[in-house]
Amino acid sequence: MNHYQAAIIGFGKAGKTLAAALGRAGWRVAIIEKSRAMYGGTCINVGCIPTKALVHDVQHHASFSDAMQRKAAVVELLREKNYLNLAAIGKVDVIDGEAEFVDAHTLKITSSQQVSQIHAERIFINSGAEAVFPALEGLVAGPRVVDSSGILNLTQLPQRLGILGGGYIGVEFASMFAGFGSEVTLFESAPQFLAREDDDISAAIARILQEQGVKLELNTALQRVTSGRDSVTLHTAQGDREVDVLLVATGRRPATKALKLENAGVVTDARGAVRVDKQLKTSVDHIWALGDVTGGPQFTYISLDDFRIVYDQLLGKGTRTTEDRVNIPYSVFMTPVLSRIGLTEAQARAQGRDIQVVTLPVAAIPRARVVDDTRGMLKAVVDNGSQQILGVALLAADSHEVINIVKTVMDAGLPYSVLRDQIFTHPTMSESLNDLFALVK
């Protein structure tokens, strides 16, 4: 049995970064990944990189076939690069196979070639998350019923695409495939669209999607699904709907079922998320969990920060914790992009805050005219007492870049006037922050 100072389950952002850092520090490290097709993790292979490559190409009017070929080439390049980055470190072993706990220090690894075991002084769980299919009759994965990973492997553009789930993943794919030319229908069981956003923001998103040709069917209860050779039929309380491909985008859950965590005494919650403390340590002192498997925000940049927290314990000062990160931004890569940080207006009012709310139409921004996309709006919530920014929503081209400027100001505790009076280059989307915050009285 091989012995390691550290065993890492999963090749995602946190795991691969930790493996490299520990290997370079002289530790003997094993990183275990059940599929060679997932070297580099979810983001590179079936998440943010391939989807954003497709978003880029649809915005540049590429054909679906050309876009899928370029996506595959980008993914293959980055996957190979990630593998070589670790393989080049003499102290790191990349092991193919599915890991499960035998006990708190021993992992059994099963591959198509063999079954083996390794012993590790410390173990790091970075197994990510997996798509969830609601328990409905006929709703099973197949050639015409796919999750967010399966849809990235389509070889032909579906003429009619149905999307089950009106959350952020569903919205992103709806905008993308409508841009490629599919007739997209988005089915949402809730009566309200994007309830996590303020009403004016969700209404603006709905208008943009509808202008792209996306049909929104809210308050639609799916009862069962029938898959045929050439189509899928959704049986709902409102009647039957037929599509060529159905994307199930109803959420993701931590991928822990196959790990047999009970053999190591690692505690999970009802959803299977590994319970961790503020330094990402599990119920077992020498086992940590990082990334999506903890049930927190499923973002690559959160996984990277998880690495920083754990690395600081192992080889740093040991002071960094999850409590250090505030004002976590996110972007939904529809076209144009939605980016948000902090509190919504509704959340701020529910907290009884004394606030000002200002909005600016994207059509008022010179750069929006230059890039010929005037859709959307900017919105800011400002605390009247402290003059600090409580939250911002940007539904605009390049908002995924601009939101990071807002985060820097919020994290520093600076007043909104810093952005109102900042000198930005022209013509840029960043300078719209001058105009947005000039509206605060």
Side-chain angles (χ1 to χ4, degrees):
M1 184 187 302
N2 287 329
H3 295 263
Y4 294 92
Q5 290 169 276
I8 300 167
I9 305 171
F11 210 134
K13 183 66 173 180
K16 67 185 182 185
T17 313
L18 182 62
L22 295 180
R24 292 189 182 106
W27 288 38
R28 190 167 185 227
V29 180
I31 184 164
I32 307 148
E33 176 53 58
K34 65 181 180 180
S35 171
R36 288 173 177 254
M38 290 299 291
Y39 285 167
T42 295
C43 177
I44 283 174
N45 295 286
V46 294
C48 42
I49 295 299
T51 55
K52 278 53 178 183
L54 292 174
V55 168
H56 173 275
D57 285 1
V58 77
Q59 291 172 346
H60 288 78
H61 310 293
S63 69
F64 180 73
S65 176
D66 287 347
M68 292 296 277
Q69 289 180 31
R70 194 181 78 85
K71 178 269 298 182
V74 170
V75 168
E76 180 59 33
L77 174 70
L78 294 177
R79 181 190 298 144
E80 180 70 8
K81 179 180 178 182
N82 272 263
Y83 170 74
L84 292 175
N85 283 345
L86 290 186
I89 302 172
K91 291 283 188 176
V92 177
D93 291 340
V94 179
I95 303 175
D96 296 331
E98 189 159 358
E100 65 180 62
F101 282 89
V102 175
D103 57 43
H105 282 283
T106 309
L107 295 172
K108 182 172 79 171
I109 304 169
T110 304
S111 70
S112 58
Q113 284 79 36
Q114 63 178 356
V115 176
S116 60
Q117 291 189 359
I118 65 171
H119 177 276
E121 296 172 20
R122 299 174 180 83
I123 299 176
F124 305 87
I125 305 167
N126 183 227
S127 51
E130 57 193 5
V132 177
F133 276 39
L136 292 172
E137 180 184 345
L139 190 62
V140 294
R144 295 191 174 273
V145 178
V146 297
D147 60 15
S148 57
S149 300
I151 198 170
L152 294 173
N153 293 320
L154 295 180
T155 57
Q156 290 185 328
L157 178 70
Q159 180 180 341
R160 301 169 301 173
L161 175 66
I163 299 178
L164 183 61
Y168 300 127
I169 293 176
V171 164
E172 191 169 292
F173 278 105
S175 178
M176 179 198 305
F177 274 80
F180 280 123
S182 293
E183 298 172 9
V184 180
T185 304
L186 193 151
F187 301 94
E188 171 56 53
S189 60
Q192 186 177 354
F193 180 58
L194 290 179
R196 284 180 56 187
E197 304 298 333
D198 283 328
D199 289 347
D200 52 356
I201 297 294
S202 60
I205 294 170
R207 284 195 301 271
I208 290 171
L209 290 174
Q210 289 165 340
E211 288 168 1
Q212 292 175 331
V214 177
K215 299 176 183 177
L216 302 178
E217 295 205 14
L218 305 179
N219 207 22
T220 300
L222 181 63
Q223 298 171 329
R224 61 189 179 91
V225 172
T226 303
S227 295
R229 193 177 80 173
D230 299 319
S231 65
V232 180
T233 302
L234 288 75
H235 305 278
T236 76
Q238 293 76 24
D240 293 349
R241 306 287 190 273
E242 188 177 79
V243 297
D244 300 316
V245 173
L246 176 64
L247 166 63
V248 181
T250 50
R252 295 172 66 81
R253 67 185 170 207
T256 55
K257 279 188 176 182
L259 294 177
K260 296 189 178 180
L261 296 174
E262 64 275 10
N263 291 343
V266 174
V267 176
T268 62
D269 66 15
R271 293 184 61 247
V274 179
R275 290 184 176 174
V276 294
D277 63 16
K278 63 183 181 180
Q279 290 185 309
L280 302 173
K281 188 171 288 188
T282 72
S283 53
V284 180
D285 190 60
H286 64 275
I287 301 176
W288 289 258
L290 308 87
D292 299 351
V293 77
T294 66
Q298 294 183 16
F299 302 129
T300 297
Y301 41 94
I302 294 298
S303 295
L304 178 60
D305 196 58
D306 284 355
F307 151 73
R308 296 176 183 132
I309 291 169
V310 171
Y311 183 82
D312 185 52
Q313 291 172 66
L314 301 174
L315 295 172
K317 297 180 179 179
T319 58
R320 194 174 187 124
T321 75
T322 54
E323 295 176 350
D324 296 330
R325 55 190 183 213
V326 294
N327 303 317
I328 299 171
Y330 62 82
S331 293
V332 181
F333 283 79
M334 58 179 291
T335 303
V337 181
L338 166 68
S339 299
R340 189 161 74 75
I341 189 170
L343 300 178
T344 63
E345 176 186 354
Q347 289 170 333
R349 295 195 186 283
Q351 292 180 12
R353 299 288 192 109
D354 178 20
I355 62 173
Q356 280 194 66
V357 179
V358 292
T359 61
L360 181 74
V362 171
I365 303 170
R367 179 63 181 176
R369 298 288 177 178
V370 171
V371 300
D372 195 27
D373 191 349
T374 59
R375 297 169 296 172
M377 61 182 291
L378 313 183
K379 182 175 184 177
V381 181
V382 175
D383 185 273
N384 281 325
S386 67
Q387 302 289 287
Q388 292 181 0
I389 303 166
L390 298 179
V392 168
L394 308 175
L395 178 58
D398 293 330
S399 70
H400 54 294
E401 300 286 0
V402 179
I403 200 70
N404 294 312
I405 301 172
V406 178
K407 174 175 171 55
T408 299
V409 171
M410 291 177 66
D411 285 354
L414 300 173
Y416 77 90
S417 56
V418 169
L419 292 177
R420 180 195 65 193
D421 300 333
Q422 183 60 274
I423 298 174
F424 292 105
T425 54
H426 173 82
T428 60
M429 293 303 291
S430 299
E431 67 178 336
S432 65
L433 298 174
N434 289 156
D435 297 329
L436 177 64
F437 287 101
L439 298 171
V440 180
K441 304 301 180 186

